[in-house]
Amino acid sequence: MAVKKIDLLEIVQKILNLDSKMRFAAIIDSKGNIREAIMKAGKTNLKSQKEEEHFCKQVAQRRAMRKEFDRSLGKVRYVHVEREKVSQMVIYTKRNIVYFTIEPEMPINTKIRLITKIKKITSDL
């Protein structure tokens, strides 16, 4: 049986199209390598390419560190970091990590709705 190849670019575009306040979306492998990433048109990148790559490596390292507490606390559902210039969100899928950024002034209930939608979109990753 042929394994259906998942179009990562299509998934990243779907994520960005969920809301006008979305800035950036990436799919990262377990080692922190960027498999696919898009900065939304009209948005300026707050990090250089080198910083982005370094950040993604750290996202993968933090996933490994958080696994330590899965038995006692349960698996991580998502990670939300609120910064002055941007909201950073991380969702762990089976084999990958979905990282996306949003304009900071979005209400928390809207963010939770986005996380739920993105989990559905990325459930096969």
Side-chain angles (χ1 to χ4, degrees):
M1 190 178 118
V3 177
K4 184 178 166 282
K5 194 178 181 309
I6 297 168
D7 187 347
L8 297 180
L9 184 62
E10 191 182 305
I11 290 171
V12 171
Q13 283 169 329
K14 258 187 202 160
I15 292 169
L16 284 182
N17 290 336
L18 288 174
D19 195 279
S20 61
K21 286 188 161 59
M22 296 294 275
R23 293 184 56 86
F24 175 80
I27 296 169
I28 305 164
D29 69 16
S30 59
K31 291 179 178 68
N33 301 306
I34 300 170
R35 296 186 64 199
E36 192 60 72
I38 302 176
M39 172 60 68
K40 195 163 196 169
K43 303 285 183 191
T44 50
N45 203 335
L46 300 174
K47 297 192 289 294
S48 70
Q49 182 71 33
K50 206 170 189 61
E51 285 174 320
E52 199 70 74
E53 287 167 7
H54 178 65
F55 184 85
C56 288
K57 291 259 187 268
Q58 287 189 339
V59 166
Q61 288 169 344
R62 286 192 286 270
R63 178 180 190 166
M65 287 168 20
R66 286 189 179 105
K67 263 195 173 349
E68 230 182 289
F69 301 102
D70 282 2
R71 281 226 341 251
S72 55
L73 303 175
K75 286 186 176 143
V76 172
R77 290 191 176 153
Y78 67 93
V79 180
H80 175 192
V81 177
E82 192 66 31
R83 295 182 180 266
E84 291 171 349
K85 296 180 183 178
V86 69
S87 294
Q88 297 172 305
M89 312 290 252
V90 177
I91 298 171
Y92 301 147
T93 62
K94 273 185 227 73
R95 294 173 297 282
N96 294 279
I97 299 164
V98 181
Y99 165 59
F100 59 102
T101 62
I102 313 167
E103 297 296 341
E105 65 280 357
M106 182 184 279
I108 188 73
N109 57 335
T110 309
K111 289 177 183 174
I112 301 294
R113 267 201 300 278
L114 278 175
I115 287 165
T116 305
K117 286 178 186 171
I118 292 169
K119 280 184 167 192
K120 282 193 183 95
I121 294 169
T122 60
S123 61
D124 293 340
L125 297 179

